[in-house]
PDB file of all heavy atoms in Angstrom:
ATOM      1  N   SER A  84       4.568  -4.285  13.702  1.00 97.00           N
ATOM      2  CA  SER A  84       5.741  -5.118  13.397  1.00 97.00           C
ATOM      3  C   SER A  84       6.006  -5.159  11.897  1.00 97.00           C
ATOM      4  O   SER A  84       6.237  -6.228  11.321  1.00 97.00           O
ATOM      5  CB  SER A  84       5.542  -6.533  13.938  1.00 97.00           C
ATOM      6  OG  SER A  84       5.324  -6.515  15.334  1.00 97.00           O
ATOM      7  N   LEU A  85       5.970  -3.999  11.264  1.00 98.00           N
ATOM      8  CA  LEU A  85       6.163  -3.944   9.811  1.00 98.00           C
ATOM      9  C   LEU A  85       7.575  -4.349   9.427  1.00 98.00           C
ATOM     10  O   LEU A  85       8.551  -4.064  10.138  1.00 98.00           O
ATOM     11  CB  LEU A  85       5.850  -2.535   9.310  1.00 98.00           C
ATOM     12  CG  LEU A  85       4.356  -2.198   9.265  1.00 98.00           C
ATOM     13  CD1 LEU A  85       4.141  -0.693   9.166  1.00 98.00           C
ATOM     14  CD2 LEU A  85       3.688  -2.917   8.108  1.00 98.00           C
ATOM     15  N   GLN A  86       7.651  -5.020   8.290  1.00 97.00           N
ATOM     16  CA  GLN A  86       8.927  -5.503   7.761  1.00 97.00           C
ATOM     17  C   GLN A  86       9.097  -5.008   6.319  1.00 97.00           C
ATOM     18  O   GLN A  86       8.112  -4.647   5.661  1.00 97.00           O
ATOM     19  CB  GLN A  86       8.966  -7.019   7.812  1.00 97.00           C
ATOM     20  CG  GLN A  86       8.860  -7.591   9.219  1.00 97.00           C
ATOM     21  CD  GLN A  86       9.959  -7.106  10.136  1.00 97.00           C
ATOM     22  OE1 GLN A  86      11.129  -7.023   9.752  1.00 97.00           O
ATOM     23  NE2 GLN A  86       9.587  -6.749  11.368  1.00 97.00           N
ATOM     24  N   PRO A  87      10.328  -4.985   5.813  1.00 97.00           N
ATOM     25  CA  PRO A  87      10.535  -4.510   4.437  1.00 97.00           C
ATOM     26  C   PRO A  87       9.661  -5.234   3.413  1.00 97.00           C
ATOM     27  O   PRO A  87       9.239  -4.620   2.415  1.00 97.00           O
ATOM     28  CB  PRO A  87      12.023  -4.773   4.212  1.00 97.00           C
ATOM     29  CG  PRO A  87      12.631  -4.641   5.563  1.00 97.00           C
ATOM     30  CD  PRO A  87      11.615  -5.227   6.505  1.00 97.00           C
ATOM     31  N   GLU A  88       9.348  -6.476   3.654  1.00 96.00           N
ATOM     32  CA  GLU A  88       8.506  -7.218   2.711  1.00 96.00           C
ATOM     33  C   GLU A  88       7.048  -6.770   2.725  1.00 96.00           C
ATOM     34  O   GLU A  88       6.252  -7.214   1.890  1.00 96.00           O
ATOM     35  CB  GLU A  88       8.591  -8.729   2.964  1.00 96.00           C
ATOM     36  CG  GLU A  88       8.295  -9.142   4.374  1.00 96.00           C
ATOM     37  CD  GLU A  88       9.564  -9.285   5.220  1.00 96.00           C
ATOM     38  OE1 GLU A  88      10.525  -8.503   5.014  1.00 96.00           O
ATOM     39  OE2 GLU A  88       9.578 -10.181   6.095  1.00 96.00           O
ATOM     40  N   ASP A  89       6.695  -5.888   3.660  1.00 97.00           N
ATOM     41  CA  ASP A  89       5.350  -5.312   3.673  1.00 97.00           C
ATOM     42  C   ASP A  89       5.252  -4.097   2.744  1.00 97.00           C
ATOM     43  O   ASP A  89       4.164  -3.526   2.586  1.00 97.00           O
ATOM     44  CB  ASP A  89       4.957  -4.886   5.093  1.00 97.00           C
ATOM     45  CG  ASP A  89       4.808  -6.069   6.038  1.00 97.00           C
ATOM     46  OD1 ASP A  89       4.172  -7.066   5.631  1.00 97.00           O
ATOM     47  OD2 ASP A  89       5.322  -5.995   7.166  1.00 97.00           O
ATOM     48  N   THR A  90       6.353  -3.696   2.161  1.00 97.00           N
ATOM     49  CA  THR A  90       6.344  -2.571   1.223  1.00 97.00           C
ATOM     50  C   THR A  90       5.445  -2.892   0.032  1.00 97.00           C
ATOM     51  O   THR A  90       5.619  -3.915  -0.631  1.00 97.00           O
ATOM     52  CB  THR A  90       7.771  -2.268   0.739  1.00 97.00           C
ATOM     53  OG1 THR A  90       8.543  -1.817   1.863  1.00 97.00           O
ATOM     54  CG2 THR A  90       7.765  -1.200  -0.340  1.00 97.00           C
ATOM     55  N   ALA A  91       4.472  -2.028  -0.211  1.00 98.00           N
ATOM     56  CA  ALA A  91       3.476  -2.274  -1.259  1.00 98.00           C
ATOM     57  C   ALA A  91       2.539  -1.070  -1.340  1.00 98.00           C
ATOM     58  O   ALA A  91       2.600  -0.170  -0.494  1.00 98.00           O
ATOM     59  CB  ALA A  91       2.667  -3.530  -0.936  1.00 98.00           C
ATOM     60  N   VAL A  92       1.684  -1.095  -2.334  1.00 98.00           N
ATOM     61  CA  VAL A  92       0.548  -0.176  -2.371  1.00 98.00           C
ATOM     62  C   VAL A  92      -0.635  -0.895  -1.742  1.00 98.00           C
ATOM     63  O   VAL A  92      -0.934  -2.040  -2.105  1.00 98.00           O
ATOM     64  CB  VAL A  92       0.217   0.257  -3.806  1.00 98.00           C
ATOM     65  CG1 VAL A  92      -0.991   1.201  -3.814  1.00 98.00           C
ATOM     66  CG2 VAL A  92       1.414   0.934  -4.451  1.00 98.00           C
TER      67      VAL A  92
END
Side-chain angles (χ1 to χ4, degrees):
S84 302
L85 285 163
Q86 298 301 318
E88 54 265 35
D89 294 315
T90 295
V92 179

